[in-house]
Amino acid sequence: MSNILCLAESNNQLFNTWQYELTPYLKDSNAYGNIYFARYFEWQGLCREKWFSECVCHNMFELNGSLVTRSAANDYIASIFPFQKVRCLLNTQHIRAASFDLVFRFYDMESNQLLSIGHQKIALIGPESKKPVRFPKEILDKVRFYVTECH
Amino acid sequence: MSNILCLAESNNQLFNTWQYELTPYLKDSNAYGNIYFARYFEWQGLCREKWFSECVCHNMFELNGSLVTRSAANDYIASIFPFQKVRCLLNTQHIRAASFDLVFRFYDMESNQLLSIGHQKIALIGPESKKPVRFPKEILDKVRFYVTECH
Amino acid sequence: MSNILCLAESNNQLFNTWQYELTPYLKDSNAYGNIYFARYFEWQGLCREKWFSECVCHNMFELNGSLVTRSAANDYIASIFPFQKVRCLLNTQHIRAASFDLVFRFYDMESNQLLSIGHQKIALIGPESKKPVRFPKEILDKVRFYVTECH
Amino acid sequence: MSNILCLAESNNQLFNTWQYELTPYLKDSNAYGNIYFARYFEWQGLCREKWFSECVCHNMFELNGSLVTRSAANDYIASIFPFQKVRCLLNTQHIRAASFDLVFRFYDMESNQLLSIGHQKIALIGPESKKPVRFPKEILDKVRFYVTECH
């Protein structure tokens, strides 16, 4: 599966990491010449949805409930520019019965410089109650496959 | 109703025109410094949906069917820049039983220079059949109120 | 100045708060029916840029340097839907020589329910060096006018 | 070059066609469940810029002038949904000294059904004068490589 990468992290632990290569275009830039800060969240969304549909659950709309974003955050380390090749690495963290976190690390593909780090907390809410419900075990097992300790 | 404007057009005809003032921000700009061409279509969407919900039908989701965009087009006459005040004038054209056109004219609010002209064709399709259905008469009457001959 | 609001906060302190009313449209929604999480960051951007250009510095491009976003975050408390009227309150926090924070609180305009809270850290970097530089005193004074202790 | 495709068109003519595969995600959808009409123009932009940078001129910002969009249009033939695989075919038309047209045809990758057709007119304007200037011959030659008669 070409999008999975084994990464040697701190403490000599190996983590399974999902990766995706993306290229920003003019639509993502702004009058300062670099990529607008809000676009990084579109990338978080694109990566999480591609990962989820390819690696966790083929059709998110068939889950017995809705995925909701509880929080989202991004730290901007270096500017990104149109046409720059960017690699996004996705891992999971803090996996609970009804929520888990995603961590996104964006790297320049040529220099391997870390450009940005993002975090999200995702939960599942019931179709009627709109209250948190437990993820099915087969979903959590697949989410756990990508877990990392790194921040 | 503050968003309606009486405009004296060619041939000494008066047309009822809906208007909306909008300001582009950094998110709408691109690395060339001006507003990205695709954003004008977000403005077309914003204006048509604001006009429709305020002047035609309070809740578009309660129509017996779905509004669909058959075509959309835009001519770019002069560049627009972040923070520039823009006035959008909206009229209707070519009103049929199951479709009508929208025309959008974007003006610089200071100079009244015409910046851009857009067109859309909107249709109503049935909730099940997904085939064109007639608009209710009370909808078409309100759509007809904004009709213009201008292009 | 119509966009400034005096708010009585905890500890009987009064804070100057900038406010803006916004309405999400179809372009901001997604297939779940509610507003997509990344759009809240476009709103953060829109509000900060409108506030900055109206209340702090008329033309951000004439600053001797570039404004950069160091971090951005958002907590999602209740779903927002197309056409729902939303009030954004903006305040400043943690004002330093070369950076300050923005806090955004989004409320439903009918019920006054808190829908979402956002945070950003903004810095100024030099035009050549790309290193942090001090904000001019007249900028910081205006930024300080909107300071709050609330979180 | 993997993105170029030889297509047998009407009249037994062969045209060189650039193709790109894209997948819409939640950010591209709207509360009706399908893809929002304005996103098709972001795809037009993405495809033209990827094609231009890969096949015509590596760095569009190094051209002696700016590329401008004179007009853009799209016909919507069938709805597109999140996660649906879409193939975009790009060709050129009406090539003049200072402008050319782009035609975009979007197909469902499974059924080969035509989903949408788009058109743009692109021009080059001088860096100072902002008036139309001729494209360099090496640019036009590459643009001509993708010419088609089809509509």
Side-chain angles (χ1 to χ4, degrees):
Chain A
M1 202 163 187
S2 65
N3 276 335
I4 303 176
L5 174 78
C6 266
L7 266 196
E9 299 279 354
S10 57
N11 304 322
N12 293 324
Q13 282 192 272
L14 287 174
F15 300 111
N16 295 298
T17 298
W18 182 84
Q19 66 171 322
Y20 183 64
E21 298 173 7
L22 56 85
T23 309
Y25 290 95
L26 281 183
K27 72 180 174 65
D28 303 306
S29 67
N30 75 98
Y32 279 123
N34 56 14
I35 300 305
Y36 191 59
F37 85 102
R39 300 297 161 235
Y40 293 63
F41 291 95
E42 293 195 347
W43 298 347
Q44 284 192 16
L46 184 161
C47 287
R48 75 177 185 185
E49 292 153 27
K50 191 172 171 60
W51 164 76
F52 196 83
S53 69
E54 291 182 0
C55 304
V56 180
C57 172
H58 181 63
N59 188 339
M60 67 167 62
F61 299 120
E62 288 178 358
L63 278 174
N64 189 24
S66 298
L67 293 170
V68 293
T69 312
R70 289 288 187 220
S71 62
N74 209 75
D75 290 302
Y76 303 85
I77 297 163
S79 286
I80 302 180
F81 295 92
F83 305 107
Q84 183 177 350
K85 305 279 185 195
V86 176
R87 174 177 286 128
C88 177
L89 305 189
L90 178 154
N91 287 100
T92 55
Q93 286 182 325
H94 308 128
I95 301 170
R96 305 278 178 268
S99 73
F100 59 85
D101 289 3
L102 293 172
V103 54
F104 306 87
R105 285 166 295 151
F106 298 94
Y107 290 89
D108 179 74
M109 279 185 60
E110 277 192 22
S111 68
N112 277 321
Q113 184 193 4
L114 182 62
L115 302 169
S116 178
I117 299 181
H119 290 87
Q120 284 191 14
K121 184 176 287 300
I122 301 291
L124 186 65
I125 57 170
E128 309 285 306
S129 70
K130 302 293 177 196
K131 290 195 176 149
V133 293
R134 290 170 174 269
F135 282 104
K137 182 183 177 302
E138 62 270 24
I139 297 284
L140 279 191
D141 284 347
K142 288 172 181 162
V143 167
R144 208 170 276 120
F145 183 73
Y146 297 91
V147 77
T148 179
E149 299 301 315
C150 77
H151 301 277
Chain B
M1 201 163 186
S2 65
N3 277 334
I4 303 176
L5 174 78
C6 267
L7 267 196
E9 301 278 356
S10 57
N11 305 323
N12 292 324
Q13 282 192 274
L14 286 174
F15 300 111
N16 295 299
T17 298
W18 184 84
Q19 66 171 321
Y20 182 64
E21 298 172 7
L22 55 85
T23 309
Y25 291 95
L26 281 183
K27 72 181 173 65
D28 304 306
S29 66
N30 73 99
Y32 278 124
N34 57 12
I35 300 305
Y36 190 60
F37 86 101
R39 300 297 161 234
Y40 293 64
F41 292 95
E42 292 195 348
W43 298 347
Q44 285 192 17
L46 184 161
C47 287
R48 74 177 185 184
E49 292 153 27
K50 191 173 172 61
W51 164 76
F52 196 83
S53 67
E54 291 181 0
C55 303
V56 179
C57 172
H58 180 63
N59 189 339
M60 66 166 63
F61 300 120
E62 288 177 359
L63 279 175
N64 188 24
S66 299
L67 293 169
V68 293
T69 312
R70 289 289 188 218
S71 63
N74 208 76
D75 290 302
Y76 303 86
I77 297 163
S79 287
I80 302 180
F81 295 92
F83 305 108
Q84 183 177 351
K85 305 278 185 195
V86 176
R87 174 176 286 127
C88 176
L89 305 188
L90 177 154
N91 287 100
T92 54
Q93 286 182 324
H94 308 127
I95 302 171
R96 305 277 179 269
S99 74
F100 59 85
D101 290 3
L102 293 171
V103 54
F104 306 88
R105 285 164 295 150
F106 299 93
Y107 290 90
D108 178 74
M109 280 184 60
E110 279 192 21
S111 68
N112 277 322
Q113 183 194 3
L114 182 61
L115 302 169
S116 177
I117 299 181
H119 291 86
Q120 284 191 14
K121 183 175 289 297
I122 301 290
L124 186 65
I125 57 169
E128 309 285 306
S129 70
K130 303 292 177 196
K131 291 195 175 148
V133 293
R134 288 169 175 270
F135 283 103
K137 181 181 179 304
E138 62 270 24
I139 296 284
L140 279 191
D141 284 347
K142 288 173 182 164
V143 167
R144 207 170 276 120
F145 184 73
Y146 297 92
V147 78
T148 179
E149 300 300 316
C150 78
H151 302 280
Chain C
M1 203 165 188
S2 64
N3 278 335
I4 303 177
L5 175 78
C6 266
L7 267 196
E9 301 279 357
S10 57
N11 304 321
N12 293 324
Q13 280 193 276
L14 287 174
F15 300 111
N16 296 299
T17 297
W18 183 84
Q19 66 170 320
Y20 182 63
E21 297 172 8
L22 55 87
T23 308
Y25 291 96
L26 281 184
K27 71 179 175 65
D28 303 305
S29 67
N30 74 99
Y32 279 122
N34 58 12
I35 301 305
Y36 191 61
F37 86 101
R39 300 296 161 235
Y40 293 63
F41 291 94
E42 292 195 350
W43 298 347
Q44 284 192 16
L46 183 162
C47 287
R48 76 177 185 186
E49 292 153 27
K50 190 171 172 62
W51 164 75
F52 197 83
S53 69
E54 290 181 2
C55 303
V56 179
C57 173
H58 180 63
N59 188 339
M60 67 166 60
F61 300 119
E62 287 178 358
L63 279 174
N64 189 26
S66 299
L67 293 170
V68 292
T69 312
R70 289 289 189 218
S71 63
N74 210 76
D75 291 303
Y76 303 85
I77 298 164
S79 286
I80 302 179
F81 295 92
F83 305 109
Q84 183 177 353
K85 304 279 184 194
V86 176
R87 174 176 284 127
C88 176
L89 304 188
L90 178 153
N91 287 100
T92 55
Q93 286 182 324
H94 307 127
I95 302 170
R96 306 276 178 270
S99 73
F100 60 85
D101 290 3
L102 293 172
V103 55
F104 306 87
R105 284 165 295 153
F106 298 93
Y107 290 90
D108 178 74
M109 279 185 62
E110 278 192 23
S111 67
N112 276 322
Q113 183 194 4
L114 182 61
L115 303 169
S116 177
I117 299 181
H119 290 88
Q120 285 192 13
K121 184 176 287 300
I122 301 290
L124 186 64
I125 57 170
E128 309 284 307
S129 70
K130 303 293 176 195
K131 291 197 177 149
V133 293
R134 288 168 175 271
F135 282 103
K137 181 181 178 305
E138 62 271 23
I139 297 284
L140 279 191
D141 284 347
K142 287 172 182 164
V143 167
R144 207 171 276 121
F145 183 74
Y146 296 91
V147 79
T148 180
E149 299 300 318
C150 77
H151 300 280
Chain D
M1 204 164 186
S2 65
N3 278 335
I4 302 177
L5 175 77
C6 267
L7 267 197
E9 301 279 355
S10 56
N11 304 322
N12 293 324
Q13 281 192 277
L14 286 174
F15 300 110
N16 296 299
T17 297
W18 183 85
Q19 66 171 319
Y20 182 64
E21 297 172 7
L22 54 86
T23 308
Y25 291 96
L26 281 184
K27 71 179 176 63
D28 304 305
S29 67
N30 74 99
Y32 279 123
N34 57 13
I35 301 305
Y36 191 61
F37 86 102
R39 300 297 160 234
Y40 294 63
F41 292 95
E42 292 195 349
W43 298 347
Q44 285 192 16
L46 184 161
C47 287
R48 75 177 184 185
E49 292 152 25
K50 190 172 172 60
W51 163 75
F52 196 84
S53 68
E54 290 182 0
C55 303
V56 179
C57 171
H58 180 63
N59 188 340
M60 66 166 62
F61 299 120
E62 286 178 0
L63 278 175
N64 189 24
S66 299
L67 293 170
V68 293
T69 311
R70 289 289 188 218
S71 63
N74 208 76
D75 290 303
Y76 303 86
I77 297 164
S79 286
I80 302 179
F81 295 92
F83 304 109
Q84 184 177 350
K85 306 278 184 194
V86 176
R87 174 176 287 127
C88 177
L89 305 188
L90 178 153
N91 287 100
T92 56
Q93 287 182 323
H94 307 127
I95 301 170
R96 306 275 178 270
S99 73
F100 59 86
D101 290 3
L102 293 172
V103 54
F104 305 88
R105 286 166 293 153
F106 298 93
Y107 290 90
D108 179 74
M109 279 184 62
E110 278 192 23
S111 67
N112 277 323
Q113 183 193 6
L114 181 62
L115 303 169
S116 177
I117 299 180
H119 290 87
Q120 285 192 13
K121 184 175 287 301
I122 302 290
L124 186 65
I125 57 170
E128 310 284 306
S129 72
K130 304 292 178 197
K131 289 195 179 149
V133 294
R134 290 168 174 271
F135 282 104
K137 183 181 177 304
E138 62 270 24
I139 297 284
L140 280 190
D141 284 347
K142 287 172 183 164
V143 167
R144 207 170 277 121
F145 183 73
Y146 297 91
V147 79
T148 180
E149 299 301 316
C150 77
H151 300 280

